[in-house]
Amino acid sequence: MTDTKLVLELFDDLATDYDRHLPFFATYGRELVNWCGLRPGQRVLDLAAGRGAIAGPAASAVGTRGTVLAIDNAPGMLRTLEADLGHLPQLSTQVMDAHHLDLPNASFDVVTCGFTMHFLDDPAQALAGAHRVLVPGGLLAFSGPGPAPRDERWEFMGQAVKEMSERPGRKPDPFTPPARPLPELCAEAGFAEIEERVVQKTFELRDPQHYWDWNMSHGFRGFVESLGPELAEEFRAKVFEGLARLHADGGIVMRSAAAFYRMRRP
Ligand SMILES: C[S@@+](CC[C@H](N)C(=O)[O-])C[C@H]1O[C@@H](n2cnc3c(N)ncnc32)[C@H](O)[C@@H]1O
């Protein structure tokens, strides 16, 4: 079970660093907004908005005749969003849990959610809420981690995570994947025309420290912290060893992938 309170504390803690070392979420956020085909004047709700990877480009797309409401349960994340985007009159924020949308029925044309649906404690509940607040014909689009292209140069990373996960004495990871495939839950929530697409992006990291700083500025930090100080140090040393090899051998190039979903409320 995902521990919503621990996750909230984690994101509040890392908020100022989030998406600062590398525009990872901003890149995928822009791409998801493009896929939504937003039009000026539309009303958008961005669930778990974070620093505004989706809310920012969505606000540009709907313009000042439209509105974007960015909700997140971590006040620290919304403070970073407001610092970056608070000047946009069409954008507002509210501290709110994506499981409990305190918003009127059929009040949004589009609901978005970046890199969060896959770890919510109860995604079915969040999907039911998204369905309720959408107008008939409204669009839901969300993203999550995708199947990254296989790259044997990066296998050390998966091995280090696996090895550390199996060590005794580790606290539980605050994040748990959904018990059932998300498209199934979307259909059960009443969504139709469910489409899925994989989007790949490549990022170049300056050096091992750059990669580590990036990894510690998003949800992965929850895994590292769950190891406790000693195992975390051992994990860090292993990761740096592998990164140093990559760095010396052509550079630290990360090939990543996201799964995008788009569907309609009939
Ligand atoms: C990986 S970040 C994604 C942020 C943003 N959507 C993006 O694409 O960059 C996850 C975000 O979900 C928020 N979050 C986690 N659980 C939540 C919940 N139950 N309700 C609302 N927000 C939540 C976190 O505070 C964090 O801002």
Side-chain angles (χ1 to χ4, degrees):
M1 224 172 103
T2 287
D3 187 330
T4 301
K5 186 171 168 286
L6 263 186
V7 169
L8 190 163
E9 286 166 6
L10 172 73
F11 280 102
D12 248 353
D13 236 38
L14 57 73
T16 47
D17 251 15
Y18 184 83
D19 231 17
R20 275 293 179 242
H21 298 284
L22 197 71
F24 180 92
F25 296 98
T27 302
Y28 282 113
R30 259 196 317 275
E31 186 98 11
L32 188 79
V33 168
N34 288 342
W35 200 39
C36 288
L38 296 179
R39 294 187 305 277
Q42 285 190 307
R43 299 158 297 172
V44 179
L45 169 66
D46 186 27
L47 304 175
R51 182 166 219 133
I54 291 173
S60 304
V62 300
T64 48
R65 287 196 292 118
T67 57
V68 176
L69 173 59
I71 69 141
D72 200 289
N73 68 346
M77 291 300 285
L78 288 184
R79 277 195 292 276
T80 62
L81 184 152
E82 282 157 8
D84 291 350
L85 302 166
H87 59 285
L88 297 171
Q90 66 271 43
L91 182 70
S92 57
T93 63
Q94 241 177 290
V95 175
M96 198 183 292
D97 191 314
H99 295 100
H100 307 286
L101 297 182
D102 186 12
L103 297 164
N105 293 350
S107 50
F108 293 93
D109 304 301
V110 178
V111 175
T112 55
C113 182
F115 285 96
T116 306
M117 198 60 84
H118 63 285
F119 70 67
L120 285 178
D121 181 37
D122 190 348
Q125 190 176 338
L127 289 166
H131 188 273
R132 180 183 64 76
V133 301
L134 273 172
V135 294
L139 184 87
L140 168 68
F142 64 88
S143 59
R150 192 153 180 265
D151 185 345
E152 57 194 32
R153 286 163 26 102
W154 278 90
E155 271 172 13
F156 70 89
M157 193 64 197
Q159 279 160 7
V161 169
K162 184 168 180 293
E163 190 193 326
M164 290 300 159
S165 308
E166 289 164 355
R167 291 285 187 86
R170 200 195 136 200
K171 286 185 277 175
D173 197 320
F175 299 101
T176 311
R180 290 176 43 219
L182 287 172
E184 256 178 58
L185 298 179
C186 293
E188 273 172 28
F191 287 101
E193 300 173 50
I194 301 168
E195 294 172 80
E196 185 176 347
R197 180 187 153 204
V198 173
V199 176
Q200 296 187 348
K201 298 281 173 197
T202 298
F203 298 91
E204 265 192 68
L205 291 300
R206 278 190 308 278
D207 52 33
Q209 189 64 45
H210 187 199
Y211 178 79
W212 184 259
D213 289 343
W214 171 69
N215 247 343
M216 294 299 279
S217 69
H218 64 90
F220 189 75
R221 180 161 137 189
F223 167 75
V224 178
E225 288 183 350
S226 76
L227 297 173
E230 270 176 39
L231 281 186
E233 191 38 48
E234 199 183 323
F235 175 68
R236 185 180 177 282
K238 275 183 196 299
V239 172
F240 265 70
E241 224 179 270
L243 291 170
R245 278 196 305 273
L246 286 183
H247 193 40
D249 177 26
I252 305 176
V253 179
M254 181 173 74
R255 293 191 179 83
S256 68
F260 280 13
Y261 302 89
R262 182 172 76 172
M263 61 210 70
R264 294 230 169 247
R265 175 187 172 165

